[in-house]
Amino acid sequence: MGGAVSAGEDNDELIDNLKEAHYIRSDLVEQAFRAIDRADYYLEEFRDNAYKDLAWRHGNIHLSAPCIYSEVMEALDLQPGLSFLNLGSGTGYLSTMVGLIIGPFGINHGVELHADVIEYAYQKLDTFIKTCDSFDKFEFCEPSFVLGNCLEITPESRQYDRVYCGAGVQKEHESYMKNMLKVGGILVLPLEEKLTKITRTAYNIWETKKIIAVSFAPLAQPKNRDTGKSKAIPLPTLEVRTLQDLSRITIRHTLKQIENFEKVKNYNLAKNAPKFKRRRVHRRCLDSVMLTNKHLQYETEDEEEEEEEEGRVHCELKPEPLVNLLREKILSLPLPEPLKMYLLYYREK
């Protein structure tokens, strides 16, 4: 479903329209949406439709409408350090936006039914990390995807702070979905034709809120197997971060703090700098009418010359291209090139 929001010319205009329609209501969600161009997750021949508020499907590849994703992101109430599970993770578009908010010390897992879609998602994730300048504005939690049916996850699997299901959930599977949540966790899913938010407030206490009417394809049911038993799907394993990864996170975080401090310092210097006003020369008017007219004529000519000079100055001040300050700082460090490239996540640009 979709079509609730006017089409945009580009990603920023699409986000502006989502904000105006109150689908995007928080700064964190807005920043995540602006950081990732929705068109980058389309096949090249379909990019012209990327900024319409419509769902898109091509074969097994699927993207929900922007208004749906924005409602989901708002309902999940994401914060740094949370664990997130995306059931039916698809192209990885939503998982990547979530990773920008939960940060490097969060957990970002996805389960997808189709192997070709997982391959597509990893290609898009790699492109985002290596080529998108907005990547350096965030501390990122990379998503990990596993192949399988989300209704066959092993019962002993860990629970999550936030869970989203991207397919219609039948009523008989509601309890199965709820049990994936930690106490205090939030589950967002299409349930009985309504996008629904379920909060686990205590071990056996749940709060349910209907958000908007939606139409999703139903969850694929597990296939009958020869043994009569369903195939258990293990979720991605939790690995302790290496010292090398922790060092990269810390160095990049420190450089960002320095960058932000310098921005604030430069802003304050510019704000508090003494302002010099241009002194206008006013000629004294004489009693003679003829001389007064001449005076007025001269003064008008002087003002026109000043305005023309101001116009020339403004024309000469062309906007400079945006500079990736974090990248510039890393490249200026007195370090071996391979280490610089590691700090940049081997960025291609």
Side-chain angles (χ1 to χ4, degrees):
M1 66 163 288
V5 174
S6 300
E9 291 295 323
D10 56 26
N11 196 66
D12 280 327
E13 191 170 318
L14 172 63
I15 308 313
D16 291 341
N17 293 339
L18 289 168
K19 282 188 65 181
E20 187 177 348
H22 302 291
Y23 283 102
I24 292 179
R25 299 177 290 277
S26 64
D27 290 340
L28 275 177
V29 171
E30 178 186 353
Q31 290 166 15
F33 268 88
R34 290 195 190 278
I36 302 174
D37 195 325
R38 179 177 168 89
D40 291 341
Y41 286 78
Y42 276 64
L43 294 171
E44 190 63 35
E45 59 267 34
F46 300 103
R47 284 178 69 95
D48 291 343
N49 297 320
Y51 308 120
K52 297 176 182 178
D53 188 29
L54 296 171
W56 172 68
R57 179 181 292 278
H58 182 78
N60 292 325
I61 302 171
H62 174 260
L63 281 168
S64 294
C67 67
I68 301 298
Y69 280 134
S70 53
E71 285 288 6
V72 170
M73 290 283 286
E74 292 287 356
L76 286 170
D77 189 22
L78 298 163
Q79 301 165 29
L82 294 180
S83 56
F84 172 68
L85 177 63
N86 190 352
L87 302 174
S89 51
T91 65
Y93 174 63
L94 179 69
S95 293
T96 302
M97 286 196 291
V98 170
L100 296 174
I101 297 178
I102 63 177
F105 300 110
I107 296 168
N108 195 354
H109 293 165
V111 179
E112 171 55 43
L113 186 62
H114 305 287
D116 60 326
V117 179
I118 287 184
E119 183 181 355
Y120 186 84
Y122 274 123
Q123 288 174 359
K124 296 302 179 183
L125 175 63
D126 188 57
T127 301
F128 171 70
I129 292 174
K130 288 184 176 179
T131 65
C132 185
D133 280 339
S134 62
F135 172 80
D136 286 330
K137 298 177 183 177
F138 297 84
E139 295 181 33
F140 186 51
C141 181
E142 294 183 38
S144 298
F145 308 111
V146 295
L147 178 66
N149 189 311
C150 65
L151 292 176
E152 297 179 310
I153 295 173
T154 53
E156 64 273 12
S157 295
R158 69 186 313 279
Q159 294 175 318
Y160 291 79
D161 297 303
R162 301 291 186 267
V163 178
Y164 170 65
C165 182
V169 177
Q170 294 84 357
K171 190 65 178 176
E172 60 264 28
H173 297 308
E174 182 180 356
S175 296
Y176 171 86
M177 295 288 176
K178 286 180 176 179
N179 288 330
M180 296 184 184
L181 275 185
K182 293 180 179 179
V183 173
I186 295 173
L187 166 67
V188 179
L189 75 171
L191 183 66
E192 297 181 319
E193 302 298 311
K194 293 281 175 50
L195 189 66
T196 305
K197 176 181 179 179
I198 300 174
T199 306
R200 188 172 195 171
T201 56
Y203 186 77
N204 284 319
I205 302 177
W206 315 84
E207 290 182 359
T208 301
K209 177 184 177 183
K210 303 293 184 182
I211 303 174
I212 54 172
V214 292
S215 178
F216 277 69
L219 277 174
Q221 299 300 307
K223 295 179 180 178
N224 293 327
R225 305 189 186 277
D226 295 337
T227 59
K229 297 180 180 179
S230 62
K231 179 183 177 182
I233 304 299
L235 291 172
T237 57
L238 294 178
E239 297 180 357
V240 177
R241 284 192 175 273
T242 65
L243 181 59
Q244 194 175 24
D245 273 348
L246 291 172
S247 298
R248 175 165 63 181
I249 292 167
T250 302
I251 291 170
R252 286 172 63 89
H253 177 73
T254 302
L255 290 175
K256 283 179 186 175
Q257 287 184 317
I258 293 171
E259 177 190 326
N260 292 333
F261 173 77
E262 289 176 350
K263 282 182 182 177
V264 173
K265 182 180 177 182
N266 292 336
Y267 172 78
N268 289 334
L269 286 173
K271 185 179 179 182
N272 298 324
K275 295 179 174 58
F276 298 97
K277 293 185 178 179
R278 184 181 61 188
R279 188 168 64 89
R280 281 190 176 275
V281 177
H282 296 283
R283 293 188 177 90
R284 186 174 59 182
C285 295
L286 302 178
D287 291 337
S288 168
V289 175
M290 184 174 63
L291 290 177
T292 303
N293 289 339
K294 286 182 181 179
H295 159 68
L296 292 173
Q297 182 182 353
Y298 294 151
E299 187 172 18
T300 303
E301 288 175 354
D302 289 344
E303 289 176 352
E304 287 176 355
E305 288 175 1
E306 289 171 355
E307 288 173 359
E308 287 176 2
E309 183 65 28
E310 287 179 359
R312 282 194 293 272
V313 171
H314 286 304
C315 289
E316 290 169 1
L317 293 176
K318 296 180 181 178
E320 296 181 358
L322 293 175
V323 177
N324 188 325
L325 297 178
L326 178 62
R327 178 181 176 82
E328 294 298 316
K329 283 192 176 296
I330 291 174
L331 292 175
S332 67
L333 293 173
L335 297 172
E337 285 301 314
L339 184 51
K340 290 181 185 179
M341 292 303 103
Y342 175 76
L343 290 174
L344 289 170
Y345 284 81
Y346 302 100
R347 305 292 297 280
E348 292 178 349
K349 289 182 66 175

